[in-house]
Amino acid sequence: MTITGELLIDGGARPGTGGAIHAVDPSTGATLDVTFGGATKADLDEACALAAAAFGPYRATSPEQRAVFLETVAAKIEAIGDDLIVRAMAETGLPRARLEGERGRTMGQLKMFAGVLRDGGWLEARIDPAQPDRKPLPRPDLRLRNVPLGPVAVFGASNFPLAFSVAGGDTASALAAGCPVVVKAHPAHPGTSELVGRAVQEAVKACGLPSGVFALLHDAGIEISQGLVADARIKAAGFTGSRRAGLALTAVAQGRPEPIPFYAEMSSINPVLLLPNALKARGAAIAPDFVAALTQGAGQFCTNPGLILGIDGPELDAFLAATAEVIAKAPAGQMLTPGICKAYTGGVKALAETSGVTEVAHGLEGGHGQGRATLFSVDAATFLATPHLQDEVFGAASLVVRAQDLAQLTQVLAALEGQLTIAVHMEEADTDLARALLPTLELKAGRVLVNGFGTGVEVGHAMVHGGPFPSTSDSRSTSVGSLAIFRFLRPVSYQNLPAALLPVELQDANPLGIARRVDGKVVLA
Amino acid sequence: MTITGELLIDGGARPGTGGAIHAVDPSTGATLDVTFGGATKADLDEACALAAAAFGPYRATSPEQRAVFLETVAAKIEAIGDDLIVRAMAETGLPRARLEGERGRTMGQLKMFAGVLRDGGWLEARIDPAQPDRKPLPRPDLRLRNVPLGPVAVFGASNFPLAFSVAGGDTASALAAGCPVVVKAHPAHPGTSELVGRAVQEAVKACGLPSGVFALLHDAGIEISQGLVADARIKAAGFTGSRRAGLALTAVAQGRPEPIPFYAEMSSINPVLLLPNALKARGAAIAPDFVAALTQGAGQFCTNPGLILGIDGPELDAFLAATAEVIAKAPAGQMLTPGICKAYTGGVKALAETSGVTEVAHGLEGGHGQGRATLFSVDAATFLATPHLQDEVFGAASLVVRAQDLAQLTQVLAALEGQLTIAVHMEEADTDLARALLPTLELKAGRVLVNGFGTGVEVGHAMVHGGPFPSTSDSRSTSVGSLAIFRFLRPVSYQNLPAALLPVELQDANPLGIARRVDGKVVLA
């Protein structure tokens, strides 16, 4: 498959004339081959018009047809072969094994949503049968199902060029829901985006779907991104990126004449709580696992452990000493883009210069565009008095907060902003304390985990990759896992419809064989 | 039960010193007894602080405890007896039978949510068991459930002094979810609000719950309302009212440092589509039913039929003639407040003065504060060219839009804003046409109904009382029916929690006996 640098619209490719975009090899700073053309407003308009036109026929497809389509997308991505991995390596600096794993994850997500479609739970099918003899008034026949919102805008993320990009979780869940998708590619990996976009286009064609079901746009600035969210035909959007960009686009979504749901996953420092008995029993043993989680992928995960909380004392000192020893030998990690590298360096410098913050250790110096791990520490009083210490520093930096006692630790927990994850390290003897803290933790985070780190987000049915603001713009939702399909659905109630008009999932005979709620009770097929 | 005009905070009552509010009998214009004191900022602050403090212990109650609490609220409302009905009649002008029915509905809603709590489906409990031997990486144990968002603000509605007010649907669903509630009473029925508020307070006490679970505030202006939505301790809000007020409060909710979900049910004209064979077979028979729906409660329903769509011709003329005859004899209806009456009169006048709009008929002249039914007609081309004709006129006014042909009718449908309901009147011979239109209708409305009118919103499991903007601010939700509990919940994922820490609904033994999704498949208890 050849990369041409074109926009993918209407089942074909065309050069974008709205400015040039070049990918850069972050490990050398060298510009990669192929010039990508940014979309013009006319391109954007056409992509949205086609998506709107495709919405009717696309949502009319059966869940089985869409399941096959998603499986076809997965197969077409696999069929790109090694070209995809090679280009993604060049554009992101991520290693082969990671990208191969991420490709598997991307295909796995698509297949999971195929399963979700066949299961039918996403329809939230409900039937309250008529009660013609009810007094004082008869009860009408009422049936409910979810319908898709309409065309969806998806913004590719820098740090997952496959799993959170062109055919990533947002695209998979939106397509599953019955929504056409217009993707704005992340400018750091336009070639990877094009390859995957072409695979999706091929799947659209192979499945005989309208061409407007999918489009891929590049944006040389921010106008197309903002225009995409502002377009009246777009009915929801998914975004993974910085807090600043996320909030700016959220404001566009809310400022429209018709506001739309905007799902931004933005920033999280993923606190790690070291409970006293765990620190005592195995503080030194936690250290290498922590450093591995911190430095994996150069720390460029939304779930990177950026904050460690513990009660001050010799056990915490021992943990810090052990951690410092491991970090000192940690090789620097290749960062995704020169801009991210620069921001990381700046963030680390700002931390180092913050009054009361001490550097505990740093990793080995790296080469071009690499970031070295850095661990800081601060006492809890300073942390509580310095709100910006909660700002995410994207990369392998982490801050240890030393609390005087449990009361102060609890105070720090209460002061935390919303998070994607909070991890608790504990021994059995910490159970009562953990139980007492759990209500606070679950109100601060979308996922609470024990004796591990938040990196490694399982794709499944019980996963929440989301959380209270500012970790996301909408805590009622997740961007990973099967619950994500509900982002792009809304319920509709049907009253006294003749059988001939009923959607298939609500017909008495239940031809789809799905679980439904009848008179409020779950009834299996 | 005595009405004192006080605020209900911390399980007791206190005079509000933030300005005086008086209820008015809309049928006479006379000021009713009791002066109600508006809340000060200090009152607001205290109510929010208590709600925040109550949240922890309240959400820690079992679903069964909250179910009993909701049932106790219902019993306490019933125990107020006729005083409630008499005061509500005086404050709203609504007739006894309607208010007795509404009281039953209010109690029914509370009991329905008790059933929802016992069923457990609201928890969305999911378990993905660990797979320690999975390659390349073991799968962790992941479990998911919904948790409540936090304290909720509820704004009472003018037109349902019981069912959409102090202990109405929003309060019932928020309390069911585990969220304390701070209610801002509607100033048109403060005495009714106080009576119901005291009943809730009694139930809080009887069930041994923290006093901060419930508070009732009056607001002599708009500052307390805005301050309530802006308060950092409030985590979601429900509102039923005008588009203007709804949008203003939505902006407050979105403009907070931590934005919150704001569920505003605002405006809808509830189109009624008269398909050709229905018009032909029984146009004249539809007329009295339509007028009954239009004039019920003086037209003061969110689901009032404010727009009739049909294809021009002798059948539509016959329907109009029959309707005009019934309307001409329709008595005027008492409106809820002098302000609503004035706005209705102004809205009718503006319609009458709109170029191309003709008055078809009006009802009998009424007494003080009454509104008479008015029917207008307009051709579809004018309707399409005059966007303000889609603005809701709250009361018994309706506009018939005459389309030249099916193509123009379809054009009108496509141009409609989002609605709470769309009704289709059809005969069997209209089935193909109805089937072709259904995809458009279900994207425009939260409820599609056949051969009826949207008034009469059934409280059940398959009801959606919601819809695309501007009928509501969030089409993913409903304010009536059991799905409403999801407004106030968010999912949390638990990874590798020891059994001793697992919430009861996620324990292996399933002690609550609820349906759960295990590895993606629904498993009944």
Side-chain angles (χ1 to χ4, degrees), chain B residues 4 7 33 45 69-70 76 92 107 143-144 150 193 304 309 318 336 383 424 429 488 505:
Chain B
T4 64
L7 309 171
D33 60 347
D45 182 64
F69 169 49
L70 294 176
K76 296 287 184 188
T92 65
M107 293 165 54
R143 302 177 189 229
L144 179 150
S193 297
N304 191 57
L309 308 175
L336 290 156
F383 180 80
V424 180
F488 304 116
E505 47 267 45

Side-chain angles (χ1 to χ4, degrees), chain A residues 68-326:
Chain A
V68 169
F69 169 50
L70 294 176
E71 289 164 343
T72 307
V73 172
K76 296 286 184 188
I77 290 171
E78 189 164 38
I80 305 169
D82 207 46
D83 286 1
L84 180 62
I85 303 298
V86 169
R87 180 76 193 189
M89 285 169 67
E91 289 185 332
T92 65
L94 293 168
R96 169 176 287 275
R98 149 70 194 271
L99 287 166
E100 287 177 351
E102 193 181 327
R103 177 174 58 186
R105 178 191 182 88
T106 307
M107 292 165 55
Q109 289 182 148
L110 290 157
K111 291 174 188 169
M112 180 192 67
F113 281 111
V116 166
L117 284 170
R118 291 181 177 121
D119 171 82
W122 64 279
L123 287 158
E124 190 63 52
R126 294 174 164 219
I127 301 178
D128 292 347
Q131 294 175 351
D133 300 327
R134 191 185 63 173
K135 303 290 170 200
L137 287 170
R139 184 170 89 167
D141 179 279
L142 278 165
R143 302 177 189 230
L144 179 150
R145 67 163 177 169
N146 280 329
V147 301
L149 290 177
V152 166
V154 171
F155 290 81
S158 65
N159 61 340
F160 279 89
L162 301 171
F164 282 79
S165 282
V166 178
D170 279 332
T171 297
S173 53
L175 290 176
C179 301
V181 170
V182 180
V183 176
K184 203 288 285 178
H186 196 283
H189 48 75
T192 308
S193 298
E194 182 184 331
L195 288 172
V196 175
R198 288 182 180 270
V200 181
Q201 272 194 331
E202 284 180 8
V204 169
K205 204 166 290 175
C207 294
L209 298 171
S211 65
V213 164
F214 176 80
L216 176 70
L217 305 178
H218 298 288
D219 183 9
I222 59 167
E223 270 188 35
I224 296 302
S225 300
Q226 298 201 326
L228 181 57
V229 176
D231 193 284
R233 292 159 293 200
I234 296 295
K235 300 300 184 189
F239 167 93
T240 300
S242 72
R243 185 162 172 178
R244 201 176 118 195
L247 291 180
L249 289 173
T250 302
V252 173
Q254 291 172 343
R256 297 163 40 125
E258 179 196 355
I260 55 169
F262 191 82
Y263 301 99
E265 194 228 293
M266 298 182 290
S267 74
S268 178
I269 53 174
N270 307 295
V272 176
L273 198 48
L274 303 175
L275 296 192
N277 291 289
L279 260 185
K280 198 171 185 175
R282 52 187 175 84
I286 295 170
D289 292 345
F290 162 56
V291 178
L294 178 68
T295 57
Q296 193 191 351
Q300 300 166 114
F301 289 106
C302 320
T303 51
N304 191 59
L307 199 75
I308 309 287
L309 307 176
I311 295 173
D312 216 352
E315 286 89 2
L316 188 58
D317 288 342
F319 166 79
L320 282 178
T323 304
E325 211 171 301
V326 187

Side-chain angles (χ1 to χ4, degrees), chain A residues 319-412:
Chain A
F319 166 79
L320 282 178
T323 304
E325 211 171 301
V326 187
I327 285 190
K329 295 176 208 150
Q334 187 60 54
M335 303 209 71
L336 289 156
T337 71
I340 287 173
C341 188
K342 195 177 156 196
Y344 175 68
T345 312
V348 166
K349 187 158 175 278
L351 270 176
E353 289 168 359
T354 300
S355 169
V357 172
T358 317
E359 188 185 295
V360 177
H362 62 249
L364 301 171
E365 197 64 50
H368 187 92
Q370 297 194 335
R372 68 178 191 189
T374 320
L375 186 68
F376 296 97
S377 87
V378 70
D379 64 77
T382 306
F383 180 80
L384 286 165
T386 318
H388 81 76
L389 289 177
Q390 286 202 44
D391 292 351
E392 183 182 26
V393 176
F394 191 68
S398 195
L399 176 64
V400 179
V401 177
R402 286 175 279 108
Q404 286 175 335
D405 49 25
L406 188 59
Q408 203 181 31
L409 184 77
T410 309
Q411 229 183 321
V412 170

Side-chain angles (χ1 to χ4, degrees), chain B residues 244-272:
Chain B
R244 202 177 118 192
L247 291 180
L249 288 174
T250 302
V252 173
Q254 292 172 343
R256 295 164 42 124
E258 179 197 354
I260 55 170
F262 192 82
Y263 301 100
E265 193 228 296
M266 298 183 290
S267 73
S268 177
I269 53 175
N270 307 295
V272 176

Side-chain angles (χ1 to χ4, degrees), chain A residues 59 442 447 494-495, chain B residues 59 134 442 447 494-495:
Chain A
R59 64 178 284 248
E442 67 192 4
R447 178 162 51 113
Y494 303 86
Q495 183 172 325
Chain B
R59 64 177 285 248
R134 191 184 64 172
E442 66 192 4
R447 179 162 52 114
Y494 304 86
Q495 182 172 324

Side-chain angles (χ1 to χ4, degrees), chain B residues 123-145:
Chain B
L123 286 158
E124 190 65 51
R126 295 172 164 221
I127 300 178
D128 292 347
Q131 295 175 350
D133 301 326
R134 191 184 64 172
K135 303 291 170 199
L137 288 171
R139 184 170 88 167
D141 179 279
L142 279 165
R143 302 177 189 229
L144 179 150
R145 67 163 177 169

